[in-house]
Amino acid sequence: SRRKHFAKAVETAHALGHRAIVVVEEPSWEGEYVDEVYTAPTGDLRATVARCVEISQLEPEPIAGVIAFVEHSVPTAAAVAAELGLPSISVDTAEKSRDKLSMRQAFEKVGISQPRFALASTVEEALEAAESVAYPLVMKPIIGGGSMFVRRVDTPEELAEHFEDIREGAWAGFDYDPLFILKSKYSEGILLEEFLPGNEISVESYVQDGVTTVVAVHDKPTPMDGPFFEETFYATPTVLAGATLAKVEEYTALAHQGLDIAQGATHTEFRVAPSGEPYILETGARLGGGPVYQSVLLSTGVDMVEVLTKVALGEVADVSVDPARVRHVGFSLHFGEQPGELAAVEGIDTLEDRDDVAEVMIYGKVGDQIDVPPRVWQAQGHVLFTGDSREEIVRKQREVNETLRFRVR
Ligand code: ADP
Ligand code: CA
Ligand code: CA
Ligand code: CA
Ligand code: CA
Ligand code: CA
């Protein structure tokens, strides 16, 4: 999917009269689509910024806009944009958008409904904090993604049993990340949150000069009650309407205000309580990952990469969605059924032959080692499909699940 992102960003930049360059930390990039590939030092924000200033002078025209597509590059892109005086969020905002504790504090200031939360770095602290957060609760990394190491616990016994695993997992294996410094700031702790029951949604929006436009809302129609929270099914447009949907839009704009996001695209997640009140989970200062980009495009006709590229270049994005023309779209994400070596993927041809299947994407290949939730970074593949109603999308998701099989040995 990332290839599609790049291709569209390059196309948009070209259409607006710019060259498109990519700055990578490792020279593994093949240089497709772009006009030039530069390398920058790994894991050193200041050195990367200095290198980009140099690149801006090497290019025939100074750099006119900066985009990051992966979450861990968001602070770096913000730092480069800040140095070059380009439309962007600040580095501070970029960091907050990845630091779930600072984010919660920012949301608290602007008064968005959210779960009670606490930081805990030892099991004793966690048991103590749990008394005010209350059970059931969710333990999760402060910096994370893909629901990795996010776990629901219902009792002090369960908390004590799983706390150390989550805490260790939370800080393991991403020392390449500039935000790894938060490990000591937070005493290697994790976040405890009140478990929010209710349906989960994600909101794709963009902000230009402080004005928020919500482009699409996806429901996650499969109940996600834990203990693990891998995402398996998205469907858009949302079934939410009226006051609840208005509240979702209001809180999305408020989240941008709280985090000081005045330019760029965002991906915001909520859980909607049985009362209809949305509670915010998090806001990513980036496009929605995986097939979300294509799902939005198929459903609304809005190309979020084009929008993001325009915003980054200071060009008016000016998007409007005609509700009468929105199509029903869904996608399923597929995980391994048990850990092991991938022996075969069945059902691809059957699915690809269907007119209502827009894309079948398998990320890995036979022979790969497959892991299962909750220790997975991402799914093994996805299927994107269209329908005439939500009921049809739900039915098709079941059919897709029965057809596509990852055989493991
Ligand atoms: P990540 O950055 O890994 O996506 P999130 O905070 O979004 O982390 O958590 C991942 C998933 O875990 C959410 O999509 C949601 O399903 C579940 N989850 C997280 N926090 C809560 C909570 N407080 N109440 C209920 N579910 C939660
Ligand atoms: Ca010139
Ligand atoms: Ca996230
Ligand atoms: Ca998510
Ligand atoms: Ca999330
Ligand atoms: Ca097809």
Side-chain angles (χ1 to χ4, degrees):
S1 291
R2 203 162 293 152
R3 280 166 181 264
K4 295 196 179 79
H5 290 164
F6 274 114
K8 187 64 194 184
V10 170
E11 186 192 313
T12 306
H14 285 170
L16 293 167
H18 296 282
R19 273 160 60 82
I21 64 169
V22 65
V23 181
V24 288
E25 294 185 321
E26 277 153 39
S28 60
W29 174 265
E30 290 134 33
E32 298 153 277
Y33 315 117
V34 292
D35 299 305
E36 195 69 67
V37 178
Y38 296 95
T39 54
T42 303
D44 180 344
L45 199 92
R46 272 196 210 160
T48 305
V49 171
R51 173 70 175 139
C52 289
V53 170
E54 190 180 285
I55 292 166
S56 190
Q57 287 155 0
L58 291 172
E59 278 287 301
E61 299 287 333
I63 292 174
V66 187
I67 307 175
F69 286 118
V70 290
E71 190 159 286
H72 84 264
S73 302
V74 169
T76 312
V80 172
E83 182 69 27
L84 297 173
L86 300 169
S88 171
I89 53 175
S90 68
V91 177
D92 180 57
T93 292
E95 289 180 352
K96 260 189 209 141
S97 77
R98 301 195 52 222
D99 166 352
K100 292 187 200 316
L101 183 57
S102 296
M103 199 186 312
R104 287 268 174 249
Q105 289 157 349
F107 291 160
E108 198 162 46
K109 279 198 189 129
V110 288
I112 307 174
S113 293
Q114 64 174 345
R116 292 184 297 274
F117 63 95
L119 170 71
S121 21
T122 62
V123 72
E124 291 76 22
E125 268 175 34
L127 287 166
E128 174 80 30
E131 287 172 26
S132 49
V133 170
Y135 297 94
L137 58 79
V138 169
M139 302 196 286
K140 67 164 100 164
I142 295 174
I143 305 169
S147 305
M148 273 229 293
F149 298 105
V150 180
R151 179 173 195 138
R152 167 179 164 159
V153 291
D154 291 348
T155 61
E157 292 69 35
E158 280 182 23
L159 183 154
E161 185 183 347
H162 301 296
F163 180 85
E164 204 44 36
D165 278 352
I166 303 281
R167 204 194 59 74
E168 266 179 34
W171 294 107
F174 76 110
D175 37 4
Y176 61 88
D177 191 305
L179 261 73
F180 195 62
I181 46 159
L182 293 178
K183 180 177 177 176
S184 53
K185 177 179 169 190
Y186 292 133
S187 311
E188 304 185 29
I190 59 170
L191 205 54
L192 305 191
E193 288 183 0
E194 165 193 10
F195 172 79
L196 303 168
N199 297 328
E200 191 162 320
I201 60 167
S202 79
V203 179
E204 311 314 311
S205 70
Y206 74 94
V207 198
Q208 187 156 42
D209 302 331
V211 179
T212 293
T213 304
V214 170
V215 175
V217 178
H218 285 80
D219 295 324
K220 302 178 190 178
T222 311
M224 295 163 76
D225 292 326
F228 306 121
F229 300 97
E230 73 273 18
E231 297 172 317
T232 53
F233 180 22
Y234 281 64
T236 192
T238 180
V239 297
L240 298 177
T244 296
L245 188 56
K247 217 41 184 303
V248 164
E249 298 193 346
E250 180 194 326
Y251 282 171
T252 301
L254 210 50
H256 296 156
Q257 199 184 309
L259 293 170
D260 196 22
I261 298 175
Q263 314 283 351
T266 68
H267 171 79
T268 301
E269 296 169 321
F270 294 89
R271 284 200 163 210
V272 181
S275 67
E277 176 68 5
Y279 285 72
I280 196 161
L281 286 172
E282 61 164 347
T283 295
R286 53 166 179 82
L287 294 174
V292 168
Y293 163 58
Q294 284 155 276
S295 178
V296 173
L297 182 59
L298 263 181
S299 175
T300 65
V302 177
D303 191 308
M304 288 298 285
V305 172
E306 185 183 330
V307 168
L308 176 60
T309 308
K310 284 182 174 169
V311 171
L313 287 165
E315 302 267 352
V316 179
D318 198 18
V319 157
S320 67
V321 177
D322 177 359
R325 304 190 65 166
V326 168
R327 296 168 70 196
H328 285 274
V329 177
F331 62 85
S332 53
L333 295 160
H334 300 264
F335 293 84
E337 282 150 37
Q338 73 242 20
E341 187 188 302
L342 184 59
V345 187
E346 292 165 8
I348 301 175
D349 291 344
T350 312
L351 289 171
E352 280 181 340
D353 283 345
R354 291 175 60 148
D355 287 339
D356 55 354
V357 170
E359 181 174 80
V360 181
M361 185 85 96
I362 310 301
Y363 308 146
K365 54 185 187 319
V366 167
D368 281 357
Q369 211 49 44
I370 287 203
D371 209 342
V372 297
R375 310 182 89 86
V376 283
W377 176 248
Q378 68 164 358
Q380 298 297 328
H382 70 249
V383 181
L384 185 71
F385 44 94
T386 55
D388 292 328
S389 64
R390 172 56 62 86
E391 292 66 37
E392 223 178 88
I393 293 291
V394 168
R395 178 171 57 74
K396 287 176 180 183
Q397 190 256 0
R398 274 199 302 269
E399 289 167 10
V400 168
N401 269 344
E402 280 157 17
T403 312
L404 192 65
R405 295 246 96 105
F406 289 81
R407 299 285 173 213
V408 163
R409 72 175 153 240

